[in-house]
Amino acid sequence: FVGTWMAFLIFGGEFPSDEIITRLFVTHVLIIPAAIVGLLTVHLAIVWRQKHTQFPGPGRTEENVVGSKLWPTYAAKSAGLFCATLAVLSALGGLAQINPVWLYGPFEPAAVTSPAQPDWFLGWVEGALRLFPPWELSIAGHLIPNPFYPAVLLPGITFGLLLLWPFIERRFTKDDVPHELLDRPRDRPIRTAVGAGVLGFYSVLFLAASNDYVAKVLGVPVGTVTNVFRVLVFVLPALLAWIIYRTMIALGVSEAPNIWHVPAKAFRRR
């Protein structure tokens, strides 16, 4: 309904337009960094105000927060993490070779290698695009293009559910009390099973983004690999969720009393 107008607004004319280059440059060097700084500031303020949740342990209750001191313990951990990240990035920059121009030549939009692999952070979206059947729907005379469902609707549902999950769970559990202690997986079997099933669903989508590469390695038709992934994307998440749910129920029923629920005074007496 608004796609044509949005395309003209973003590209500054018909696709492709030279205006998009300068607009993406400004977005890349100004708007996105500013958004990152703002979101990090809000995140740190929330953490400072609400503190982190904690694993169960001696002296830790739902009414207190026991953690490491900001100085020097937490500061030393943060400095170590910074150095480790810097070392990994430096090693990748000096050793990893990605699409060297002297081997592949200059960039040509029409030249696409096969098998073609997406960037890792878009793997699950690419997998959804490759698995979605060639269906299109018209609403009030407007054609909804095929890529809309896997590339727009699915990510919208994904991130929407991520944002709404705490409210959905609170609605069903009727638990409105603030908590400082983390739950173990066996304490919330439904949540754990749903998480395992969702992880399995997006893992299959991620692997499906390499359906052409898998077909090449195995020497089978791409259509066969695609159909197998289409089945797995529904069967595997359901199977994982059932197995994890039964496992968590069994662990919760059969385990001995949790020692972390013993009051801290009992530990001191022992």
Side-chain angles (χ1 to χ4, degrees):
F1 299 98
V2 297
T4 302
W5 303 101
M6 288 186 63
F8 270 83
L9 177 64
I10 294 174
F11 290 98
E14 292 186 0
F15 174 84
S17 173
D18 293 339
E19 293 293 330
I20 188 63
I21 298 176
T22 55
R23 295 182 182 186
L24 287 179
F25 178 77
V26 173
T27 303
H28 187 72
V29 302
L30 181 62
I31 298 178
I32 292 180
I36 293 175
V37 172
L39 291 173
L40 283 176
T41 302
V42 173
H43 168 71
L44 292 175
I46 293 175
V47 171
W48 186 280
R49 172 66 177 82
Q50 296 185 350
K51 307 298 186 293
H52 280 292
T53 51
Q54 56 191 352
F55 289 99
R60 300 179 179 183
T61 67
E62 294 282 14
E63 286 75 32
N64 67 358
V65 177
V66 181
S68 58
K69 294 182 177 180
L70 178 63
W71 180 265
T73 308
Y74 194 79
K77 291 181 179 180
S78 298
L81 178 60
F82 171 81
C83 293
T85 304
L86 179 62
V88 172
L89 293 177
S90 299
L92 288 174
L95 302 176
Q97 180 174 277
I98 301 175
N99 297 336
V101 67
W102 54 89
L103 294 181
Y104 292 94
F107 172 70
E108 297 180 9
V112 180
T113 59
S114 180
Q117 301 302 295
D119 295 321
W120 66 268
F121 48 85
L122 287 176
W124 62 279
V125 179
E126 175 76 14
L129 283 166
R130 299 191 184 195
L131 294 187
F132 195 78
W135 297 341
E136 290 185 336
L137 180 67
S138 294
I139 300 179
H142 296 274
L143 179 65
I144 308 300
N146 177 270
F148 170 81
Y149 305 101
V152 178
L153 184 60
L154 178 61
I157 294 175
T158 299
F159 293 107
L161 287 178
L162 282 174
L163 294 173
L164 294 176
W165 176 261
F167 305 98
I168 296 174
E169 187 177 46
R170 185 171 62 183
R171 179 71 178 271
F172 280 94
T173 60
K174 310 296 183 183
D175 186 1
D176 296 326
V177 180
H179 294 281
E180 302 295 347
L181 292 178
L182 293 169
D183 295 319
R184 297 177 305 167
R186 68 189 65 179
D187 297 331
R188 301 286 184 176
I190 295 179
R191 180 199 299 165
T192 306
V194 171
V198 170
L199 182 61
F201 175 77
Y202 288 101
S203 297
V204 174
L205 290 183
F206 184 83
L207 295 175
S210 301
N211 62 342
D212 52 351
Y213 184 79
V214 173
K216 179 181 179 181
V217 172
L218 298 180
V220 297
V222 177
T224 302
V225 176
T226 302
N227 290 331
V228 170
F229 277 120
R230 284 173 176 170
V231 174
L232 287 177
V233 79
F234 294 104
V235 174
L236 185 62
L239 183 62
L240 280 176
W242 182 80
I243 292 175
I244 294 299
Y245 177 76
R246 299 304 305 174
T247 303
M248 294 302 104
I249 292 294
L251 288 173
V253 171
S254 63
E255 80 166 333
N258 186 9
I259 64 171
W260 299 121
H261 291 167
V262 179
K265 293 181 180 180
F267 278 89
R268 287 195 292 269
R269 286 197 300 268
R270 293 174 186 176

